[in-house]
Amino acid sequence: MPGTPPTRFVYLGPEGTFTEAALRTIPAAEHGLRTPARSVPEALEAVRAGDADAALVPLENSVGGAIPVTLDELVTGSPLVITREVVIPVEFVLAARALTPLAEIRSIAAHPQASAQCRNWLMANVPDAVIVDVLSNATAAIAAASGEHDAALCAPIGVPRNALTVLAEKVADHADAVTRFALLSRPGPVGGPTGDDVTSLAVSIRHDQVGALLAVLTELAVRGINLSRIESRPTGVQLGTYVFFLDCTGHAAEPSLGEALQGLRRICADVRFLGSYPRHRLTPEAPVASPRGLSNADFADSAAWLARLRRGDLS
């Protein structure tokens, strides 16, 4: 997104979590001011109030799915837009104050999501240990460092900060688990496409219209827009009313997706634009080619043809 680069960043804290590790992969954040927030709503409100330029919060996990509080916050309050996504592997470590045989560990501090993602590993390697729920991965590391618990299941970033010793690395039931984070800022002019982008939307359908959701999907499909993710959340207004979160391939500045956005605007009760931003790929991968007749060049050519037709130029 054009304009002054952000220098003041807020993130879901506390320090020593995967969110901080993800934020520090962004060069501007590594050299800028980083402030932890106690919750996702607090982080986003800091941006809305102008106390921070951007906020990094978790959006979804490949094992646990979407982060409900983040989705809910994106459709309430003044609009914010995603300007960047960060995807990092989620690899926990088991750490303690000193090198300790696994058989001697009796209590392990862990955030519930961490222990859930490592349940089978824990049962196989420390079956006699009691898993104690704590508020964050950072809190787990602190509990182990203080001696409150024998060990901690925590993020690697928490090990040096708390002078811990790693007892086991890459602790997880799913070796390829990743978490996707969103960097959110106040709205501004949409930057140019990179050729491998994602556009995120929050769509409310008309509930008095038969096939309303199918109509939404059709607006994308007929223009060759790939829907990479769809997630529904209750609106909280009444039972049976939902907001649909969509991740689409493409950029709002491109002809095909721009045309699809216009179509969604016509048929939906509401469309909240959540941003067009570069896709973060952990490994190099070529974007999927558009079907014949549905590339952005095809859409631009057909628009130019229609403009000539309207001018009376039939050559």
Side-chain angles (χ1 to χ4, degrees):
M1 186 167 288
T4 304
T7 58
R8 301 172 301 156
F9 296 84
V10 63
Y11 63 94
L12 177 62
E15 295 179 347
T17 60
F18 284 106
T19 309
E20 185 191 5
L23 179 63
R24 299 190 69 164
T25 66
I26 302 174
E30 178 65 16
H31 301 291
L33 177 64
R34 301 181 301 275
T35 304
R38 291 170 296 182
S39 66
V40 170
E42 182 179 284
L44 300 190
E45 188 53 39
V47 178
R48 290 182 170 117
D51 297 327
D53 301 319
L56 190 78
V57 294
L59 191 59
E60 63 173 323
N61 178 270
S62 61
V63 177
I67 310 300
V69 65
T70 300
L71 297 185
D72 292 343
E73 283 297 311
L74 289 177
V75 293
T76 57
S78 57
L80 295 173
V81 292
I82 302 171
T83 59
R84 184 176 187 146
E85 68 173 6
V86 178
V87 181
I88 63 170
V90 178
E91 296 178 343
F92 296 96
V93 297
L94 186 69
R97 285 196 294 180
L99 193 61
T100 307
L102 296 185
E104 295 180 11
I105 294 175
R106 293 292 174 262
S107 65
I108 299 174
H111 186 277
Q113 288 185 354
S115 57
Q117 293 185 46
C118 304
R119 182 179 295 109
N120 293 333
W121 189 96
L122 293 170
M123 290 177 62
N125 294 275
V126 283
D128 297 327
V130 175
I131 310 302
V132 181
D133 289 349
V134 294
L135 294 176
S136 68
N137 295 312
T139 304
I142 293 170
S146 68
E148 182 180 354
H149 297 290
D150 296 335
L153 195 60
C154 62
I157 192 175
V159 172
R161 291 192 175 177
N162 295 281
L164 296 174
T165 298
V166 174
L167 306 182
E169 293 183 300
K170 297 185 178 181
V171 177
D173 294 342
H174 302 274
D176 298 325
V178 297
T179 294
R180 178 185 177 211
F181 298 85
L183 187 68
L184 290 132
S185 301
R186 292 180 296 279
V190 178
T194 67
D196 189 13
D197 300 291
V198 179
T199 293
S200 295
L201 309 167
V203 172
S204 298
I205 63 175
R206 302 186 188 280
H207 296 282
D208 58 351
Q209 177 182 333
V210 175
L213 180 56
L214 176 60
V216 168
L217 301 180
T218 300
E219 290 290 335
L220 302 173
V222 298
R223 294 175 176 87
I225 306 297
N226 183 44
L227 185 63
S228 58
R229 174 173 166 269
I230 180 169
E231 185 91 20
S232 65
R233 288 289 296 159
T235 62
V237 176
Q238 67 182 55
L239 188 65
T241 59
Y242 297 89
V243 175
F244 293 89
F245 292 87
L246 312 179
D247 281 347
C248 310
T249 57
H251 193 283
E254 294 173 333
S256 56
L257 188 55
E259 197 174 287
L261 290 174
Q262 293 181 67
L264 294 177
R265 172 68 177 177
R266 290 195 304 270
I267 67 171
C268 293
D270 185 54
V271 178
R272 179 173 279 209
F273 177 71
L274 300 179
S276 288
Y277 48 92
R279 184 188 305 277
H280 184 153
R281 295 188 185 273
L282 288 174
T283 56
E285 185 179 337
V288 177
S290 300
R292 184 175 180 179
L294 295 177
S295 69
N296 281 298
D298 294 324
F299 276 89
D301 177 72
S302 62
W305 171 81
L306 180 60
R308 294 196 302 272
L309 182 151
R310 286 171 171 169
R311 294 195 305 266
D313 181 4
L314 303 182
S315 57

